[in-house]
Amino acid sequence: MSKKEKLLSVLSDATKAGGGVHTSTEIAFMLGEKHTPAFTKFLTDCVKNGVLRRVATGIFESTITPPDGSTAIYKIVNKLRGDVFNYISLESQLSYTGDISQIVMDRLTVMTKGRSGIFPTPYGVIEFTHTKKTIETIAPNIYFDSDIKMYRAKTIQALIDLKNCNRNLHMLEA
């Protein structure tokens, strides 16, 4: 079995198990390879050949067995900032709860204890906004959404975040 065939096999198995979005380090581990410059070139070649799709820097998905499109962006969030606390808030959460009439289609707004940043992906733009608030302060106003395996802000927290970030408040429903 070639390295490319083995790659397709492990990515297919991972997608069946609920995965589908992987860092280059995870792919190297699944293949039993070391993450070397040669391995990085192998991944680049797989992207050029259409076997893999780069969804963000250092993050890939299989083109043959892609992840579920309805949850892929949340998986990417967890790969980009999986080492820090994150929760969906601001306009994305207020749209989700119906507190604003606009439907956020191409952007996911995420509060993070990590660095702020904007990441374009095939599933939409992920916007991380840093919060200095302690997790203890935030915890009463968030809940875990098991469908996407991420925390979400309750409406009150999303409104607090919106005001603290000096975001547009005109879209709020009266």
Side-chain angles (χ1 to χ4, degrees):
M1 180 183 289
S2 74
K3 191 189 243 184
K4 195 181 296 182
E5 289 169 335
K6 187 175 177 185
L7 171 68
L8 290 173
S9 176
V10 298
L11 291 178
S12 175
D13 290 345
T15 301
K16 289 176 196 167
V21 175
H22 308 283
T23 66
S24 54
T25 304
E26 291 169 338
I27 295 171
F29 177 78
M30 289 188 287
L31 292 175
E33 299 273 334
K34 290 187 177 179
H35 193 275
T36 63
F39 185 76
T40 301
K41 182 176 179 341
F42 166 71
L43 293 178
T44 300
D45 291 343
C46 287
V47 169
K48 286 180 186 172
N49 295 332
V51 174
L52 288 177
R53 177 163 76 158
R54 184 176 285 112
V55 294
T57 303
I59 302 173
F60 303 88
E61 69 180 8
S62 168
T63 56
I64 297 168
T65 56
D68 178 359
S70 66
T71 59
I73 196 165
Y74 306 108
K75 291 176 183 179
I76 297 169
V77 167
N78 287 323
K79 297 298 179 182
L80 288 168
R81 292 283 193 277
D83 57 340
V84 294
F85 180 70
N86 306 296
Y87 63 96
I88 299 167
S89 189
L90 303 167
E91 295 88 355
S92 292
Q93 184 62 13
L94 292 169
S95 174
Y96 177 79
T97 59
D99 290 296
I100 59 175
S101 58
Q102 293 85 351
I103 298 173
V104 182
M105 296 294 286
D106 64 343
R107 183 168 291 258
L108 182 66
T109 53
V110 180
M111 297 300 292
T112 183
K113 292 297 290 173
R115 291 188 328 203
S116 294
I118 296 176
F119 296 86
T121 76
Y123 299 97
V125 174
I126 299 169
E127 179 183 352
F128 288 102
T129 303
H130 176 76
T131 181
K132 292 181 182 177
K133 297 211 182 269
T134 65
I135 294 173
E136 292 77 19
T137 305
I138 299 165
N141 294 323
I142 60 172
Y143 65 96
F144 189 74
D145 184 339
S146 59
D147 291 336
I148 62 170
K149 295 177 180 46
M150 278 193 71
Y151 286 96
R152 288 184 176 275
K154 293 179 182 174
T155 300
I156 187 70
Q157 185 65 48
L159 291 170
I160 290 168
D161 292 338
L162 200 68
K163 290 174 186 167
N164 287 343
C165 294
N166 296 318
R167 302 285 271 246
N168 183 354
L169 302 173
H170 293 89
M171 66 185 105
L172 295 172
E173 295 290 304

